[in-house]
């Protein structure tokens, strides 16, 4: 069993959209700064499409890329072929890095599979409604309690208003258990 918190970090438009292929949907430098602060020094779990859209390892963090493709070997990242393997590697790398938590950095496919196991959601609510193929799963208020909200208007290079919102799982014992088999990395 994992003891380290599993934290989802995502920027989500009003209509739930988080991405559309490799297109940039918004320009929010303050959100990029927050993403950096929330993820620095920690292992990041991400789907292969998100890895492709970032295009490189993020400095100061260790990426664990999920893929079902046995021939995919990203340079500068760990690879996991299943959710449980990704969580096991995340746990091992967090302990090796001295990190206090494991971060899930997207995208929509991975968020949908893992939200049931997460302990905290760090969501940037973006005041836009762009079309897009990747979406964030529903945040069920019976499961998640909002514990912090910081609202910012557009400006200072940020093209839209946005809010930094934190949700904590109401009942941590209700999170689906994270079974660690082996370890790895
Ligand atoms: N706004 C935000 O905060 C944010 C954050 C991250 C990403 N995004 C956006 O989200 C979009 C990408 O999201 P997405 O839903 O298309 O894809 P994704 O979640 O990034 O990646 C999906 C891929 O991950 C692999 N995968 C997923 N679950 C797996 C499992 N259980 N076991 C093994 N491999 C697994 C598969 O890769 P293979 O096909 O290689 O098998 C799958 O095709 C992009 O537009 C990106 O810009 C937005």
């Amino acid at each position: 069993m994992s003891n380290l918190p599993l934290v989802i970090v995502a920027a989500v438009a009003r209509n739930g959209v988080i991405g559309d292929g490799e297109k940039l949907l918004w320009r929010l430098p303050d959100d990029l700064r927050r993403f950096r602060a929330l993820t620095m020094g920690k292992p990041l779990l991400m789907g292969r499409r998100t890895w492709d859209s970032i295009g490189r390892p993020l400095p100061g963090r260790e990426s664990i890329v999920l893929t079902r493709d046995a021939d995919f070997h990203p340079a500068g990242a760990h690879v996991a072929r299943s959710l449980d393997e990704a969580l096991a590697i995340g746990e091992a790398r967090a302990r090796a890095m001295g990190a206090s938590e494991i971060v899930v950095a997207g995208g929509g496919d991975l968020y949908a599979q893992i939200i049931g196991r997460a302990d905290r959601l760090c969501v940037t609510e973006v005041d836009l409604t762009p079309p897009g193929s990747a979406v964030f799963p529903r945040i069920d208020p019976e499961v998640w309690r909002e514990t912090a909200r910081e609202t910012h208007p557009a400006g200072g290079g940020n093209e839209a208003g946005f809010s930094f919102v934190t949700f904590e799982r109401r009942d941590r014992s209700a999170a689906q258990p994270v079974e660690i088999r082996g370890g790895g990395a």
Side-chain angles (χ1 to χ4, degrees):
M1 291 283 286
S2 168
N3 294 314
L4 292 177
L6 188 62
V7 179
I8 285 182
V9 178
V12 185
R14 280 178 189 275
N15 54 355
V17 167
I18 62 163
D20 193 23
E22 303 206 354
K23 258 185 258 164
L24 260 191
L25 295 184
W26 44 67
R27 189 183 137 67
L28 293 173
D30 283 357
D31 180 52
L32 294 180
R33 272 190 283 278
R34 174 170 152 102
F35 179 81
R36 189 173 192 279
L38 287 170
T39 58
M40 191 50 66
K42 298 172 190 168
L44 304 185
L45 270 48
M46 66 183 77
R48 193 263 312 155
R49 290 201 285 262
T50 294
W51 167 262
D52 283 348
S53 74
I54 297 173
R56 66 191 164 97
L58 294 172
R61 289 145 282 188
E62 289 193 26
S63 299
I64 299 148
V65 183
L66 281 102
T67 180
R68 298 184 181 89
D69 178 353
D71 295 326
F72 185 71
H73 302 288
H78 307 271
V79 184
R81 315 281 173 200
S82 70
L83 216 50
D84 283 338
E85 190 188 3
L87 289 162
I89 297 172
E91 180 85 15
R93 294 318 305 156
R95 298 210 184 275
M97 297 165 82
S100 56
E101 54 198 27
I102 303 166
V103 175
V104 181
D109 185 4
L110 184 56
Y111 289 144
Q113 294 177 63
I114 218 165
I115 191 170
R117 297 180 174 200
D119 299 294
R120 187 183 318 128
L121 313 178
C122 297
V123 173
T124 302
E125 293 179 356
V126 182
D127 295 343
L128 292 171
T129 51
S133 51
V135 295
F136 197 78
R138 175 172 178 265
I139 300 173
D140 182 347
E142 295 203 349
V143 175
W144 297 100
R145 184 177 68 243
E146 184 179 313
T147 55
R149 174 174 291 267
E150 197 186 295
T151 297
H152 300 267
N158 299 296
E159 68 162 291
F162 56 95
S163 301
F164 294 140
V165 188
T166 307
F167 298 88
E168 300 283 346
R169 179 176 289 281
R170 291 182 185 277
D171 178 3
R172 276 195 70 178
S173 64
Q176 290 164 22
V178 175
E179 255 186 56
I180 303 301
R181 287 185 222 113

